[in-house]
Amino acid sequence: MTENTIIGIHHLTEKSLGHNGIVQPLLTDLYQITMAYAYWKSGKTKDISVFDLFFRKNPFQGEFTIFAGLEECLKFLKRFHYSESDIAYLRQTLPDTIDDEFFDYLSKLNTNDVTLYAVEEGSVVFPRVPLIRIEGPLIIVQLLETTLLTLVNYASLMATNAARYRMAAGDLKLLEFGLRRAQGPDGGLSASKYSYIGGFDGTSNVLAGKLFNIPVKGTHAHAYITSFTDLTELQTCTLVPKAGGEHRNLSELATNWRLKLISLFNVVSTEASDGELAALISFAIAFPDGFMALVDTYDVKRYPCRMTHAITMWPVTLPNTLSHNEYRSGLLNFCAVALALNDLGYQAIGIRIDSGDLAYLSNVARHFFNEISKQYDIPWFAELMIMASNDINEETILSLNDQGHKINCFGIGTHLVTCQRQPALGCVYKMVELNGQPRIKLSQDVGKVTMPGRKDAYRLYSESGDALIDLLQKSSEEAPQVNHKVLCRHPFEESKRAYVTPSKVKKLLRICWKDGNIVGPLPSLAEIRNKVQASLKTLRPDIKRNLNPTPFKVAVSDNLYKFLHDLWLQNAPIGELS
Ligand SMILES: Nc1ncnc2c1ncn2[C@@H]1O[C@H](COP(=O)(O)OP(=O)(O)OP(=O)(O)O)[C@@H](O)[C@H]1O
Ligand SMILES: O=P(O)(O)OC[C@H]1O[C@H](OP(=O)(O)OP(=O)(O)O)[C@H](O)[C@@H]1O
Ligand SMILES: O=C(O)c1cccnc1
Ligand SMILES: [Mg+2]
């Protein structure tokens, strides 16, 4: 038995439950409960259903999606129970005509008779492949719809968005800074969790750090810089050297370094802000081993040319002095404090740039770090981190890559957490079988016709390990075999079919919930995060590219094709011309 299978509902803690106390049976649409009553009233309590949860179109004009949210779904099943106050609320809210016994029935409902199969969390998934197949009494399985969808849709959208940023940023560090801009507190927490799964390295969200064990990271805000106006405001000026010994005056050291740098880089001394220097000194005294500085507070004119020109003009000739209006205050003050810290044996971390032309400014900053590194023989100075923030999105990162930049880390908020490019994933939850009989939902739009029956999904791989195709079959069919040719058909276009001889076959839907328990140990967040990258590696680059990616093929077996089309004909009414 796994840890999860032995925890009783009353012993589930905030952490083991997942982050979300509000995820409970009433977090649903009213129509699920009214349908439950009508099902109950019409004697459908013994009906057994199969539902598929899937989406029809990949988000962000891409051709892949990352499946996430499964752990929260399973934890929801674990604690699914209508409390006394839930029942009291429903009693007062539903019409008076509702039979009283229905409320007794509801109060005893649990998910013990439900079985859930799902794709592994963190896997790459494609349209029409069931991410979750759920079986059990119709009423209860229906009652789960909305909550499961809300748990999967945003989680998967967010993980996919983050994975796309990760692909754009390559090996650079990515930090999620979105809590202040997220869709409310729960949106913020989910964004931190699922952006980590998607490949971010950390978050500024402290509660997310505590709940999910995600690394928490951060710098400081402009307010910290503007809270100082002068060096005389510094109440503490001294710092003990890293190796120990007497306190040294960091303020004096930094001021002296600034004078040296002013002459080295030919800057007009009056342009450097003393308030900013004081702020940086005080921050360095507070965090001598973690000194990171926001450098754009007092440098207001920062473009060497309009940004649009910078894109085509880069690389431009770098200045030898700081007289080009770049960082005459921030970069200078940062370097002065970093050099003073170095005198005491500490190594600064780097800078954050939060405005202006990020490509250009990062190149300028790196240039000066290199110069100082050479001039004073401090190798690590050339490696200082340059973090960029300010309304960054996937396109900005790709454009910065084209231009050439020296950024090591992006801090990303608004566009990441709000999924600005596509604010929702369209997962749906459709009945595919009732009491052993297939169900189909027809639509004018062929893409919206559901795949009837209890199905399994397989991913077929080439010899090199690339994913070739996903194949849906009726569950009653034998699984495709390695090195055996299998006919894969387009679900709706008769002439589109191909033989595939897989070198590896993976059954995508695995049992996750049975007899009231989570089956098997749940993977850790770090394992899910690794899974995302491993799963993405199996996709050909053209499927992952940003512009006009190639669609990944999702096929049906010959058997399922015939089953689907026969059922379609049986269910489609024949019109009459008059
Ligand atoms: N080199 C670049 N290439 C493409 N986009 C960039 C580049 N540098 C910055 N950006 C993006 O351009 C936008 C700049 O925003 P904006 O014009 O508001 O400038 P700003 O520096 O924030 O100005 P202000 O400080 O006056 O608000 C941001 O979204 C930023 O991420
Ligand atoms: O730009 P985002 O991707 O959302 O990243 C987070 C932003 O939040 C912070 O400042 P805030 O935006 O609150 O103020 P500012 O724009 O004045 O810096 C930070 O300086 C970033 O700019
Ligand atoms: O730590 C930071 O630099 C940070 C945190 C939140 C938002 N913007 C920046
Ligand atoms: Mg901002």
Side-chain angles (χ1 to χ4, degrees):
M1 269 216 275
T2 67
E3 188 201 18
N4 288 294
T5 59
I6 53 174
I7 320 174
I9 286 185
H10 301 295
H11 298 108
L12 288 172
T13 61
E14 183 190 47
K15 259 192 171 175
S16 68
L17 274 172
H19 68 266
N20 228 327
I22 58 161
V23 179
Q24 48 182 292
L26 291 196
L27 187 73
T28 190
D29 295 307
L30 177 66
Y31 83 167
Q32 309 293 7
I33 296 169
T34 50
M35 273 191 286
Y37 178 64
Y39 282 144
W40 179 85
K41 185 89 180 147
S42 58
K44 281 181 171 293
T45 51
K46 299 255 173 334
D47 283 15
I48 298 297
S49 61
V50 180
F51 280 71
D52 283 349
L53 187 153
F54 63 98
F55 62 89
R56 299 189 179 103
K57 196 172 178 322
N58 289 301
F60 312 118
Q61 289 154 28
E63 289 298 345
F64 72 86
T65 299
I66 303 292
F67 171 51
L70 176 61
E71 178 184 347
E72 296 292 336
C73 291
L74 298 175
K75 287 177 172 170
F76 169 59
L77 293 194
K78 181 93 205 158
R79 69 192 139 139
F80 185 94
H81 168 69
Y82 292 94
S83 68
E84 269 177 39
S85 70
D86 292 343
I87 298 288
Y89 174 75
L90 290 176
R91 234 185 248 281
Q92 102 193 16
T93 307
L94 294 173
D96 293 342
T97 50
I98 300 253
D99 292 357
D100 220 42
E101 297 95 277
F102 176 65
F103 294 110
D104 290 342
Y105 170 81
L106 273 192
S107 68
K108 291 188 191 105
L109 269 191
N110 59 40
T111 57
N112 290 352
D113 297 330
V114 168
T115 309
L116 184 147
Y117 300 80
V119 174
E120 280 177 285
E121 185 160 7
S123 301
V124 176
V125 286
F126 303 100
R128 254 193 240 114
V129 175
L131 310 179
I132 292 179
R133 185 181 80 222
I134 183 159
E135 308 171 355
L138 170 63
I139 298 183
I140 172 88
V141 174
Q142 177 77 67
L143 281 168
L144 299 172
E145 170 177 3
T146 308
T147 322
L148 294 184
L149 285 173
T150 195
L151 288 172
V152 169
N153 266 321
Y154 181 66
S156 300
L157 185 76
M158 189 63 238
T160 310
N161 202 21
R164 296 179 64 89
Y165 278 71
R166 166 50 67 211
M167 289 194 318
D171 292 335
L172 303 185
K173 274 213 162 346
L174 288 175
L175 300 180
E176 178 267 314
F177 283 171
L179 181 58
R180 66 191 59 198
R181 303 276 156 63
Q183 267 89 350
D186 174 59
L189 217 43
S190 299
S192 304
K193 177 176 177 181
Y194 295 108
S195 58
Y196 183 66
I197 282 180
F200 271 59
D201 298 290
T203 177
S204 60
N205 181 343
V206 185
L207 185 59
K210 179 186 171 207
L211 292 180
F212 311 126
N213 207 17
I214 301 174
V216 282
K217 302 273 184 225
T219 66
H220 54 245
H222 293 103
Y224 192 81
I225 305 288
T226 54
S227 73
F228 289 82
T229 49
D230 207 84
L231 286 161
T232 56
E233 284 170 42
L234 284 174
Q235 299 202 357
T236 314
C237 297
T238 62
L239 181 65
V240 179
K242 191 162 171 77
E246 290 296 300
H247 273 82
R248 303 273 308 275
N249 191 319
L250 193 75
S251 177
E252 240 172 62
L253 288 169
T255 311
N256 289 338
W257 271 115
R258 190 169 74 170
L259 284 173
K260 278 195 216 168
L261 294 177
I262 280 171
S263 67
L264 182 72
F265 294 123
N266 198 15
V267 190
V268 185
S269 60
T270 51
E271 284 180 312
S273 156
D274 283 351
E276 182 179 56
L277 182 64
L280 297 190
I281 291 167
S282 68
F283 214 72
I285 289 171
F287 299 101
D289 280 316
F291 179 54
M292 187 83 198
L294 183 54
V295 291
D296 68 342
T297 309
Y298 296 118
D299 295 290
V300 284
K301 167 97 180 62
R302 310 175 203 86
Y303 300 98
C305 49
R306 273 315 297 168
M307 196 115 51
T308 44
H309 295 162
I311 293 167
T312 49
M313 282 177 61
W314 193 259
V316 295
T317 314
L318 284 166
N320 290 320
T321 73
L322 282 173
S323 57
H324 281 236
N325 294 323
E326 307 92 359
Y327 301 125
R328 281 179 293 191
S329 187
L331 189 60
L332 180 70
N333 281 331
F334 166 77
C335 291
V337 178
L339 287 163
L341 277 174
N342 179 62
D343 289 342
L344 305 191
Y346 297 100
Q347 201 169 308
I349 306 282
I351 59 169
R352 174 160 75 97
I353 315 169
D354 192 42
S355 53
D357 186 316
L358 301 171
Y360 179 77
L361 293 176
S362 70
N363 278 290
V364 174
R366 182 65 70 213
H367 174 71
F368 281 96
F369 292 157
N370 286 336
E371 290 300 303
I372 290 171
S373 169
K374 272 189 261 162
Q375 179 81 22
Y376 300 109
D377 194 21
I378 309 172
W380 60 260
F381 221 95
E383 310 300 323
L384 280 163
M385 172 184 283
I386 300 177
M387 181 194 289
S389 53
N390 186 22
D391 271 333
I392 289 170
N393 60 20
E394 196 186 337
E395 285 69 36
T396 319
I397 300 175
L398 293 170
S399 168
L400 289 168
N401 291 345
D402 287 345
Q403 296 162 57
H405 66 81
K406 296 291 187 305
I407 296 163
N408 314 103
C409 172
F410 290 103
I412 310 180
T414 313
H415 292 305
L416 172 71
V417 305
T418 62
C419 297
Q420 141 257 11
R421 201 168 163 198
Q422 180 173 328
L425 180 66
C427 275
V428 293
Y429 188 84
K430 299 289 168 193
M431 185 194 291
V432 293
E433 194 176 284
L434 190 69
N435 299 326
Q437 297 304 308
R439 297 291 148 142
I440 189 166
K441 186 196 167 293
L442 298 182
S443 167
Q444 297 271 45
D445 176 354
V446 170
K448 285 195 163 181
V449 171
T450 58
M451 295 282 167
R454 184 177 191 269
K455 299 172 295 298
D456 269 297
Y458 299 89
R459 186 157 298 164
L460 312 186
Y461 295 85
S462 72
E463 210 175 339
S464 62
D466 282 348
L468 288 172
I469 198 162
D470 278 2
L471 179 65
L472 302 181
Q473 299 194 154
K474 292 175 75 180
S475 290
S476 52
E477 291 182 66
E478 206 183 303
Q481 302 293 309
V482 168
N483 294 333
H484 281 67
K485 199 159 79 169
V486 47
L487 180 62
C488 298
R489 302 195 62 164
H490 187 286
F492 305 113
E493 291 186 43
E494 195 166 13
S495 62
K496 285 194 177 169
R497 61 239 148 104
Y499 284 117
V500 178
T501 307
S503 295
K504 187 180 127 189
V505 174
K506 184 169 181 176
K507 190 170 187 177
L508 294 178
L509 290 168
R510 297 164 172 223
I511 191 158
C512 297
W513 175 267
K514 192 170 171 48
D515 299 332
N517 284 311
I518 296 171
V519 179
L522 287 172
S524 67
L525 219 59
E527 286 167 334
I528 299 171
R529 186 169 182 269
N530 291 340
K531 171 97 216 163
V532 171
Q533 297 310 318
S535 193
L536 277 169
K537 273 209 183 84
T538 65
L539 285 197
R540 282 198 325 259
D542 56 304
I543 297 166
K544 292 181 282 190
R545 75 178 164 229
N546 186 269
L547 189 64
N548 301 326
T550 313
F552 184 82
K553 289 189 175 57
V554 175
V556 295
S557 65
D558 196 38
N559 221 312
L560 180 56
Y561 181 90
K562 288 178 181 145
F563 180 68
L564 157 71
H565 288 271
D566 284 352
L567 202 67
W568 192 338
L569 285 182
Q570 278 169 33
N571 282 274
I574 305 177
E576 220 177 300
L577 295 177
S578 56

